């Protein structure tokens, strides 16, 4: 009985996610769902990407956090429209939350809507938000075994950004293992090696994002 109820919730979420996607398509806004563990570098990557993209796109951000507005304040400081969602304990965003948050934007004026999901490698995997792309982040300090241990989130992603690669000299992190695990889980996904601190790999992510926006 409980399993049926959970399936119903997921089905309702999928329907709403499709509705969100239709709205984003109609408005010409490309939507990206950024997922990864707490502290893996999601907001820092967003900041670096926006610096790289400069004025070439009109972006906006939906920030998902259990509490507070720290990340939204960081995006607001860049002069980029942002809506903060507080999930009050829920460990992931869902399509209903994104629908409500998107009402805070004038969608037709946007090219790129970035959603920073709640930091979580498990629960975020099951919830389509209506995005066009999902980018998963794995930071070097988390360890190179995470794709093997938390496969779902990586399997459904269009790209993997290995973040904080400036820290590689300090950790036993095998990049080749992560690349090979990602190939097994999502053979078509792009893999980037990124350091927002050192500014490496950001250009490649921005270029790929631009290509995917053009291709849609
Ligand atoms: N060394 C290094 N540190 C980084 C890099 N990117 C982010 N950090 C640090 O990692 C910490 C967390 O970064 P955030 O961008 O806030 O991480 P987040 O994934 O948005 O965190 P939550 O939203 O809380 O889940 C901060 O102390 C950053 O300065 C990087 O490329 N290299
Ligand atoms: Mg963040």
């Amino acid at each position: 009985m409980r399993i049926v109820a959970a399936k119903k919730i997921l089905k309702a979420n999928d329907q709403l996610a499709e509705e969100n996607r239709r709205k984003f398509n109609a408005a010409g806004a490309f939507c990206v769902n950024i997922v990864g563990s707490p502290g893996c570098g999601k907001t820092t990557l967003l900041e670096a990407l926006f610096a790289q993209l400069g004025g070439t796109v009109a972006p906006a951000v939906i920030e998902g956090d259990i509490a507070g507005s720290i990340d939204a304040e960081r995006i607001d400081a860049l002069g980029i429209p942002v809506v903060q969602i507080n999930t009050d304990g829920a460990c992931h965003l869902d399509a209903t939350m994104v629908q409500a948050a998107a009402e805070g934007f004038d969608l037709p004026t946007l090219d790129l809507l970035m959603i920073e999901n709640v930091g979580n490698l498990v629960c975020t995997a099951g919830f389509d938000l209506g995005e066009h792309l999902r980018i998963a982040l794995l930071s070097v300090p988390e360890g190179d075994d995470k794709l093997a241990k938390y496969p779902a989130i990586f399997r459904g992603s269009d790209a993997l950004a290995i973040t904080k690669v400036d820290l590689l000299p300090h950790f036993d992190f095998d990049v080749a293992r992560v690349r090979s695990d990602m190939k097994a889980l999502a053979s078509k996904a792009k893999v980037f090696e990124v350091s927002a601190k050192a500014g490496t790999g950001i250009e490649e992510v921005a270029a790929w994002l631009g290509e995917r926006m053009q291709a849609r």
Side-chain angles (χ1 to χ4, degrees), residues 20-207:
N20 286 346
R21 206 161 5 248
R22 271 198 297 276
K23 267 188 213 160
F24 298 148
N25 285 336
F30 192 75
C31 182
V32 181
N33 181 9
I34 310 272
V35 294
S37 298
C40 66
K42 298 179 290 299
T43 313
T44 308
L45 180 61
L46 283 178
E47 290 166 332
L49 277 175
F50 291 139
Q52 176 69 38
L53 291 166
T56 58
V57 294
V61 178
I62 294 174
E63 282 291 350
D65 279 292
I66 305 248
S69 57
I70 292 172
D71 286 356
E73 284 162 29
R74 288 169 64 180
I75 301 299
D76 185 58
L78 306 174
I80 291 169
V82 57
V83 172
Q84 175 83 53
I85 299 173
N86 278 162
T87 63
D88 285 331
C91 52
H92 60 86
L93 294 180
D94 64 30
T96 319
M97 296 178 201
V98 167
Q99 184 188 49
E103 281 169 14
F105 302 118
D106 185 11
L107 284 178
T109 66
L110 302 180
D111 303 318
L112 180 62
L113 177 60
M114 296 291 229
I115 303 174
E116 180 180 340
N117 216 315
V118 179
N120 191 303
L121 274 187
V122 183
C123 316
T124 47
F127 288 80
D128 184 2
L129 306 179
E131 72 268 20
H132 297 104
L133 282 186
R134 190 167 90 196
I135 305 179
L137 271 56
L138 174 70
S139 64
V140 166
E142 289 170 68
D144 58 16
D145 57 357
K146 293 302 170 287
L147 280 78
K149 294 174 78 173
Y150 304 87
I153 190 76
F154 298 101
R155 189 182 289 123
S157 294
D158 301 283
L160 167 67
I162 304 170
T163 56
K164 311 191 189 182
V165 295
D166 56 291
L167 298 177
L168 279 170
H170 308 288
F171 288 85
D172 296 324
F173 185 100
D174 184 349
V175 172
R177 175 193 181 173
V178 170
R179 282 187 172 275
S180 149
D181 285 356
M182 190 62 183
K183 202 162 189 66
L185 289 171
S187 60
K188 292 193 178 129
K190 287 283 287 184
V191 179
F192 299 100
E193 293 173 35
V194 167
S195 167
K197 272 265 188 285
T200 51
I202 305 297
E203 216 173 309
E204 285 85 345
V205 179

Side-chain angles (χ1 to χ4, degrees), residues 1-21:
M1 297 272 261
R2 282 173 191 276
I3 291 171
V4 172
K7 273 188 179 163
K8 266 190 188 163
I9 291 166
L10 286 174
K11 196 166 173 217
N13 183 80
D14 283 350
Q15 284 168 354
L16 205 53
E18 277 311 324
E19 217 175 278
N20 286 346
R21 206 161 5 248

